[in-house]
Amino acid sequence: MSKAGQRVLSTLRQMIISGEMAAGERVAEIPTAERLGVSRTPVRIAFRALEQEGLLTKLERRGYRVREVTPEEVGGAVEVRGVLEGLAARQAAERGLSPEQRKGLLESLALGDTLFEKGHVTEEDLETYHDLNRRFHALIIEASGNPAISSALSRNEHLPFASVSSLTVDRNNLEREYRRFNFAHMQHHAVFDAIDHRQGARAEGIMREHAQATLRYAEIFAGKKEQAAEIHVIQAEATDAQSL
């Protein structure tokens, strides 16, 4: 998917999360494209992706309807992803990284460091992070040497927010998004360190915790936006304290 297409997809996810596109609302390509000021093509692609993610339901006639998503549904899907990715991290640590896998993970970490070291992020930075995040997770799954994990994750990704690609960005609060994604990047460093030092149990625990960070979406669906924001402020402050 192109950068422009990824931006449209992320925007529509955020609109669903925030309630701007309400559960049960019928959506169609042309009015949505006009609303976002883009052509129909990226909207069409985004609608198909959101259907695969379980956020939209295709209607028998033209168009889609926004699905109602419960906190329990989100939480369960993310919990499963955490278990699977935690297993992948543990097995990767036990097997050991190949030189190519180690190099790829280090390159992702270095790119993330460059994005976050300036103390703020732009929308373009977060689009870059989306790509490096996908590659980082994919390399860990590859390093596990267990194809059943990849197969199970593929099935789980059809549930809302279960995919590592299902990132949303609040473009109206990039300061908070910087804290959120920088914290996730620090977790990437921690899990790489555990895998690289062949510490399987530690790697598994960090990776499961990393997935759990996504559960803030369940809080948003439950109407706890302020609580979620406070949690991420606390997490960011804890990360800053640890770096001192």
Side-chain angles (χ1 to χ4, degrees):
M1 185 180 294
S2 67
K3 293 289 185 182
Q6 187 59 51
R7 186 175 301 178
V8 169
L9 177 56
S10 177
T11 297
L12 290 174
R13 279 200 204 99
Q14 182 65 28
M15 290 170 71
I16 293 173
I17 289 172
S18 66
E20 189 174 349
M21 291 172 61
E25 178 181 342
R26 185 180 182 279
V27 293
E29 288 179 18
I30 295 177
T32 302
E34 293 174 348
R35 185 176 183 178
L36 299 181
V38 298
S39 68
R40 292 177 61 181
T41 300
V43 172
R44 181 183 307 118
I45 294 171
F47 279 177
R48 290 172 182 167
L50 292 170
E51 180 189 11
Q52 288 294 309
E53 293 175 16
L55 292 176
L56 294 180
T57 301
K58 189 171 180 59
L59 300 175
E60 290 186 8
R61 298 181 181 180
R62 298 173 66 180
Y64 293 81
R65 192 176 303 281
V66 179
R67 273 195 62 218
E68 181 178 2
V69 180
T70 67
E72 292 77 17
E73 188 175 6
V74 176
V78 173
E79 179 74 23
V80 170
R81 177 162 70 87
V83 170
L84 291 170
E85 291 195 328
L87 174 61
R90 177 169 63 80
Q91 293 186 338
E94 292 170 350
R95 285 169 52 89
L97 298 169
S98 71
E100 293 77 14
Q101 290 161 352
R102 190 173 190 276
K103 180 174 181 288
L105 290 169
L106 285 171
E107 287 174 347
S108 294
L109 292 174
L111 179 54
D113 290 343
T114 300
L115 290 178
F116 296 114
E117 67 184 2
K118 60 184 182 294
H120 67 275
V121 289
T122 64
E123 291 184 31
E124 290 73 21
D125 289 335
L126 294 180
E127 289 167 3
T128 300
Y129 178 81
H130 173 272
D131 293 338
L132 74 85
N133 184 58
R134 287 184 59 186
R135 174 160 173 72
F136 186 87
H137 283 249
L139 280 168
I140 291 177
I141 293 165
E142 175 191 303
S144 75
N146 187 343
I149 294 176
S150 180
S151 177
L153 281 168
S154 295
R155 291 192 295 272
N156 192 56
E157 285 177 356
H158 294 291
L159 300 174
F161 301 111
S163 170
V164 70
S165 299
S166 299
L167 296 179
T168 66
V169 176
D170 184 352
R171 292 174 171 81
N172 296 317
N173 196 340
L174 288 178
E175 181 180 352
R176 187 177 67 191
E177 296 298 69
Y178 166 79
R179 293 194 297 266
R180 180 161 74 98
F181 286 103
N182 185 48
F183 179 74
H185 181 61
M186 291 301 100
Q187 289 180 317
H188 282 184
H189 272 284
V191 76
F192 170 77
D193 182 75
I195 292 172
D196 199 38
H197 286 85
R198 311 292 290 269
Q199 298 169 337
R202 177 174 168 240
E204 181 173 15
I206 295 169
M207 203 64 175
R208 290 184 68 164
E209 174 60 27
H210 184 55
Q212 290 298 315
T214 311
L215 283 176
R216 72 182 295 269
Y217 294 130
E219 295 173 342
I220 290 173
F221 277 115
K224 299 180 180 177
K225 294 182 182 180
E226 292 304 318
Q227 179 182 344
E230 290 173 7
I231 289 172
H232 285 286
V233 170
I234 293 170
Q235 290 174 330
E237 290 174 347
T239 303
D240 290 341
Q242 291 171 0
S243 66
L244 296 176

